């Protein structure tokens, strides 16, 4: 036994170091963007979720500043008490219009939106079936709800159907949960097939559009639009913190669903309303993504170019000792899987010395270690060429 009840923390931290799983924070100096400063170094930023470059857009900043002058910095209470402003209603209507739904409800973060919605929709007698690669917040929601939560194999609708066949009858309600764009793999869920199976077994479907909103769909509505599923009844969750450049989460859906969540989602009822500044910045962003489709066009142009260049390098270097495999991403999240956490960490450090910031994502966040490259509409062609050249050096030694 240790000298204090906290001695185990040291041993746990040591174990993390040994397994190359230790993490720490590093501050970015100054403005968010495609090129940033960190510890005095200028880095091309391939590690941000700010897909459209809106986090540094002056219109979001002006909206936020105006809201602070009008309403103050804090919303001062929960939405049902003193925390509701007309601005929240405006943002919720704007999100509903963007998503083509009857209504929407804004939470303080995407994490809370998932937890709040899931815990409100299902409980102990119910069943949750989730993709094994779902975001942590979907899993957390499942745990908090008390429902029986089972995973189906990643993107495997046949497995989902098998689980429904075996378990559905023993439960009252059933909720299928999935990311629309998988955050650490960059691929899309087979939503149309999931919805068909869900209908057969009378299951609700919650889809997390954190990485889809603003990036997919003609009007930036998200991957649900891109996959042609907007007419299905759905619980759509999303965040204001990625392509929308602000902070906060939301659920969009039928008027009845949103009304129910306002009455029964603890993660909305018992927490302070989203700050006026975040709300106004989110509102400005929702308008910009609809009015400026060119941002998405540039982004997709960059994505297609980089994927093509990477595939060419990988094809030419099939015999090299340092192996990378591109995961089948279909989004601005492009992942290169490596053989070990250590190899991926070294690769990421090598890219950093060359002025390129690419995240090394390792277990337990993901099953296999990988370089995770995220693209932005504000990356210039020469930024991508610099990355391609360094990846080539990395692989060919
Ligand atoms: C980032 C993310 C969230 C959480 O959103 P926040 O607003 O950052 O809390 C939820 N789901 C997915 C898939 C995410 O990538």
């Amino acid at each position: 036994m240790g000298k204090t009840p906290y001695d185990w923390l040291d041993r746990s931290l040591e174990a993390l170091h040994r397994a190359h799983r230790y993490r720490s924070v590093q501050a970015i100096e100054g403005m968010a963007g495609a090129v940033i400063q960190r510890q005095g170094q200028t880095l091309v930023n391939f590690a941000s979720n700010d897909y459209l470059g809106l986090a540094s857009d002056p219109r979001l900043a002006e909206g936020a500043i105006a809201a602070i002058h009008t309403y103050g910095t804090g919303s001062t209470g929960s939405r049902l008490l003193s925390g509701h402003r007309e601005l929240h209603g405006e943002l919720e209507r704007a999100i509903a219009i963007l998503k083509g739904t009857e209504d929407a409800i804004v939470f303080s973060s995407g994490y809370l939106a998932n937890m709040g919605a899931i815990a409100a929709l299902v409980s102990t007698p119910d069943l949750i079936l989730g993709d094994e690669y779902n975001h942590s917040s979907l899993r957390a929601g499942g745990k908090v709800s008390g429902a029986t939560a089972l995973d189906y194999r990643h993107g495997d609708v046949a497995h989902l159907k098998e689980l429904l066949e075996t378990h559905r009858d023993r439960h009252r309600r059933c909720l299928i949960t999935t990311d629309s764009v998988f955050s650490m793999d960059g691929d899309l869920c087979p939503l149309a097939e999931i919805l068909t199976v869900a209908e057969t077994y009378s299951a609700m479907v919650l889809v997390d559009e954190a990485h889809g909103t603003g990036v997919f769909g003609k009007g930036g509505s998200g991957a649900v639009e891109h996959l042609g599923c907007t007419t299905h009844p759905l619980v759509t969750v999303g965040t204001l913190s990625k392509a929308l450049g602000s902070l906060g989460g939301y659920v969009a859906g039928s008027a009845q669903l949103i009304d129910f969540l306002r009455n029964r989602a603890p993660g909305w009822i018992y927490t302070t309303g989203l700050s006026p500044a975040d709300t106004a910045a989110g509102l400005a962003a929702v308008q910009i993504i609809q009015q400026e489709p060119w941002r998405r066009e540039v982004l997709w142009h960059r994505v297609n170019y980089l994927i093509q260049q990477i595939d060419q390098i990988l094809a030419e270097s099939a015999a090299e000792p340092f192996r990378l495999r591109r995961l089948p991403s279909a989004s601005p999240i492009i992942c290169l899987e490596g053989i070990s956490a250590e190899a991926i960490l070294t690769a990421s450090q090598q890219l950093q010395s060359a002025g390129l910031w690419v995240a090394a994502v390792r277990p337990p966040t993901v099953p296999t270690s990988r370089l995770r490259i995220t693209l932005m509409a504000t990356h210039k062609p020469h930024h991508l060429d610099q990355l391609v050249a360094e990846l080539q050096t990395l692989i060919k030694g």
Side-chain angles (χ1 to χ4, degrees):
M1 253 209 315
K3 286 191 193 67
T4 83
Y6 303 100
D7 286 351
W8 65 272
L9 288 171
D10 270 335
R11 293 193 297 277
S12 270
L13 284 166
E14 277 162 28
L16 288 174
H17 277 293
R18 275 198 305 277
H20 300 282
R21 287 187 183 189
Y22 180 77
R23 302 139 180 246
S24 58
V25 295
Q26 280 178 311
I28 288 176
E29 294 129 24
M31 193 59 88
V35 179
I36 52 104
Q37 300 287 323
R38 199 181 67 183
Q39 294 177 308
Q41 192 190 5
T42 303
L43 292 166
V44 185
N45 184 4
F46 293 106
S48 164
N49 297 320
D50 182 20
Y51 301 111
L52 302 176
L54 294 184
S56 52
D57 191 294
R59 291 167 292 181
L60 272 68
E62 281 156 20
I65 292 164
I68 288 174
H69 285 311
T70 307
Y71 298 107
T73 47
S75 63
T76 77
S78 67
R79 290 282 296 285
L80 291 171
L81 294 173
S82 64
H84 181 69
R85 305 288 178 277
E86 188 40 44
L87 203 53
H88 293 117
E90 271 178 61
L91 175 59
E92 287 168 342
R93 282 190 294 279
I95 291 169
I97 289 169
L98 173 72
K99 295 285 178 183
T101 57
E102 289 172 355
D103 205 354
I105 178 173
V106 173
F107 287 73
S108 303
S109 76
Y111 206 100
L112 264 180
N114 272 327
M115 297 249 300
I118 295 171
L121 293 172
V122 287
S123 60
T124 330
D126 305 321
L127 175 66
I128 298 173
L129 297 175
D131 189 290
E132 64 177 331
Y133 288 0
N134 272 351
H135 189 260
S136 151
S137 53
L138 292 166
R139 300 179 171 285
K143 270 205 182 131
V144 169
S145 76
T148 302
L150 303 173
D151 282 355
Y152 58 90
R153 284 188 296 272
H154 179 52
D156 188 341
V157 181
H159 189 213
L160 169 62
K161 195 170 174 207
E162 220 176 283
L163 291 174
L164 281 163
E165 190 63 44
T166 314
H167 299 276
R168 176 68 186 96
D169 278 354
R170 293 180 221 156
H171 297 275
R172 182 183 60 173
R173 300 199 274 262
C174 177
L175 177 69
I176 299 169
T177 61
T178 183
D179 288 13
S180 66
V181 181
F182 287 88
S183 56
M184 295 298 148
D185 299 80
D187 55 345
L188 305 187
C189 74
L191 189 58
E193 290 88 337
I194 291 172
L195 285 165
T196 305
V197 180
E199 203 173 317
T200 311
Y201 292 87
S202 182
M204 302 177 281
V205 178
L206 183 151
V207 60
D208 181 345
E209 285 266 57
H211 297 273
T213 308
V215 171
F216 286 87
K218 273 202 170 59
S221 161
V224 173
E225 180 193 347
H226 173 75
L227 296 168
C229 298
T230 39
T231 56
H232 290 75
L234 264 175
V235 183
T236 301
V237 181
T239 177
L240 303 174
S241 67
K242 285 165 182 156
L244 299 180
S246 180
L247 180 71
Y250 57 83
V251 179
S254 69
Q256 150 203 68
L257 167 74
I258 303 307
D259 202 25
F260 175 77
L261 293 178
R262 277 193 208 104
N263 284 277
R264 296 302 290 274
W268 185 79
I269 299 170
Y270 299 105
T271 194
T272 302
L274 192 65
S275 83
D278 292 322
T279 309
L283 182 58
V286 170
Q287 286 155 355
I288 291 170
I289 63 168
Q290 290 165 286
Q291 288 160 3
E292 300 181 355
W294 61 265
R295 289 177 184 274
R296 265 183 302 288
E297 284 157 26
V298 174
L299 176 63
W300 281 104
H301 190 75
R302 302 278 183 270
V303 170
N304 293 330
Y305 177 77
L306 186 65
I307 287 180
Q308 181 232 320
Q309 292 290 308
I310 286 177
D311 284 354
Q312 196 175 327
I313 302 174
L314 294 180
E316 285 164 6
S317 61
E320 302 293 335
F322 181 63
R323 294 263 171 73
L324 285 174
R325 187 174 75 91
R326 184 172 72 77
L327 298 179
S329 73
S331 71
I333 304 166
I334 298 163
C335 293
L336 300 174
E337 187 183 70
I339 43 163
S340 68
E342 204 176 352
I344 285 298
L345 204 55
T346 309
S348 154
Q349 280 156 359
Q350 215 167 312
L351 291 170
Q352 191 188 310
S353 331
L356 303 166
W357 185 12
V358 173
V361 189
R362 294 159 281 161
T365 308
V366 287
T368 55
S369 295
R370 66 203 61 179
L371 293 171
R372 179 178 181 268
I373 302 162
T374 53
L375 292 183
M376 298 171 64
T378 44
H379 279 130
K380 301 282 181 248
H382 71 88
H383 293 144
L384 302 201
D385 288 333
Q386 205 182 331
L387 175 61
V388 169
E390 285 309 322
L391 285 172
Q392 200 149 21
T393 313
L394 199 76
I395 292 166
K396 297 194 174 165

